[in-house]
Amino acid sequence: MGGRGDVVSTPAAVATGRPQRLGIVHTTGFHYPGQVLASYNEARMTPLTNPLQTTLDHRIEVTPGASTFTYRDYWGTQVTAFELRVPHDHLTVTARSVVETFPGELSRAPAVSWADLASDACRDRFAELLAATQRTQPGEEAVALAREVVSGLAPGQAGRALAEWLPAVLDYVPGATGVHTSAAQAWDVRKGVCQDFAHVAVGILRNLGMPARYVSGYLLPRSDAEVGENLRGQSHAWVQWWSGSWQAWDPTSGRPAGPDHVLVAQGRDYDDVPPLKGIYSGAGSGKLFVTVDFTRLT
């Protein structure tokens, strides 16, 4: 199998136009119904640096205070791990980042054919990003309709057509689904949020034979935000597929992922990229809270 290098690699990007600089404060954590005796956690809240974005400054603060250590996971995401061994009734993790993003393309490498994608070499190289997961299997009906949409198109064109088609058949309805909703469940009700759009898109792309990965991060709420303006936003999810090079599209809006998108994590599905996850001993289920605030700096 191709292994980590093939899974996380991104060919040389082509940046064009002027960059923009964003300040992002992502705060998340749990309020527990009682005392938690100990907890062990992982945070994926550090924007990546690649040819289309540069993380200029970043720090993570944990309350109650805890020692942290960082590492790169299998998919190339930076993880901040920490543990609390003192009783606590809340946990707050705040990630403060300054990121510069650039307009451009992930790559301009030559496109490949469906036959190339079906080759043993390609299927071995991208085996992990072609395999279905419980999160990303959208069901036979979704795949059959998608095949009609992309009929006669080359892989790269098919990916774009699919990303543009999904907003016409799925409604964006916050609260209609939950964090554990699968692509099949979202398709059944024809509604969901960005996580569901990304899961459905990734599942269909893989069923068509195109390597695809789930991407999470942030989306600037308004492209026309003034310098110095503060905006309340949220985490976001989109997709990348490989058709000779990696292409990034946002199926929730049916458009390419651009300089308003800030990439934090990538993997097979949401289970590989949650901003905060862990285990704890003590009180019953905690209540999750999340805020994401943006400031356009340039």
Side-chain angles (χ1 to χ4, degrees):
M1 201 157 45
R4 181 178 183 276
D6 288 318
V7 170
V8 303
S9 64
T10 298
V14 181
T16 61
R18 297 180 60 185
Q20 69 174 349
R21 188 168 296 182
L22 302 173
I24 304 168
V25 180
H26 180 181
T27 303
T28 187
F30 294 96
H31 293 299
Y32 302 109
Q35 289 286 307
V36 168
L37 303 179
S39 65
Y40 305 86
N41 309 274
E42 293 180 348
R44 288 168 171 80
M45 300 166 65
T46 305
L48 298 177
T49 290
N50 60 38
L52 291 182
Q53 69 177 48
T54 301
T55 299
L56 302 173
D57 185 48
H58 177 76
R59 64 184 184 275
I60 287 183
E61 303 161 356
V62 179
T63 305
S67 298
T68 65
F69 68 95
T70 62
Y71 65 94
R72 296 277 178 177
D73 70 12
Y74 179 81
W75 307 101
T77 301
Q78 182 166 314
V79 181
T80 299
F82 59 94
E83 60 185 51
L84 293 168
R85 296 188 180 182
V86 296
H88 54 286
D89 59 10
H90 71 280
L91 169 64
T92 302
V93 182
T94 302
R96 304 178 188 274
S97 306
V98 176
V99 183
E100 199 164 62
T101 63
F102 303 84
E105 304 173 44
L106 287 181
S107 177
R108 291 179 180 171
V112 298
S113 67
W114 291 110
D116 295 323
L117 291 177
S119 68
D120 290 342
C122 185
R123 295 191 65 81
D124 179 65
R125 177 183 175 188
F126 294 109
E128 293 160 303
L129 298 177
L130 285 165
T133 68
Q134 289 185 337
R135 289 273 201 173
T136 61
Q137 184 53 262
E140 295 181 1
E141 180 188 31
V143 174
L145 291 173
R147 289 188 183 279
E148 295 178 8
V149 171
V150 305
S151 177
L153 299 178
Q157 296 172 321
R160 292 190 293 272
L162 173 64
E164 292 170 350
W165 167 70
L166 278 178
V169 294
L170 295 179
D171 293 326
Y172 181 83
V173 182
T177 54
V179 69
H180 300 295
T181 301
S182 68
Q185 292 168 329
W187 179 263
D188 285 344
V189 297
R190 298 294 198 278
K191 62 185 67 173
V193 293
C194 59
Q195 173 180 304
D196 304 301
F197 280 74
H199 278 152
V200 172
V202 165
I204 291 174
L205 286 163
R206 291 176 184 167
N207 270 275
L208 295 176
M210 202 179 310
R213 56 193 179 195
Y214 181 103
V215 179
S216 71
Y218 310 114
L219 175 61
L220 182 67
R222 292 204 337 265
S223 296
D224 62 351
E226 299 289 338
V227 173
E229 183 177 1
N230 297 317
L231 299 170
R232 174 58 56 90
Q234 56 190 345
S235 297
H236 196 61
W238 59 100
V239 302
Q240 294 177 0
W241 69 76
W242 192 85
S243 55
S245 59
W246 286 106
Q247 307 297 316
W249 278 68
D250 186 342
T252 306
S253 59
R255 62 186 175 95
D260 291 342
H261 293 74
V262 177
L263 191 156
V264 173
Q266 57 195 17
R268 294 162 297 182
D269 57 30
Y270 177 81
D271 289 338
D272 288 330
V273 303
L276 180 63
K277 71 175 181 179
I279 58 174
Y280 61 88
S281 171
S285 297
K287 183 177 181 180
L288 176 70
F289 60 88
V290 181
T291 61
V292 181
D293 295 301
F294 297 80
T295 304
R296 187 165 185 173
L297 303 177
T298 63

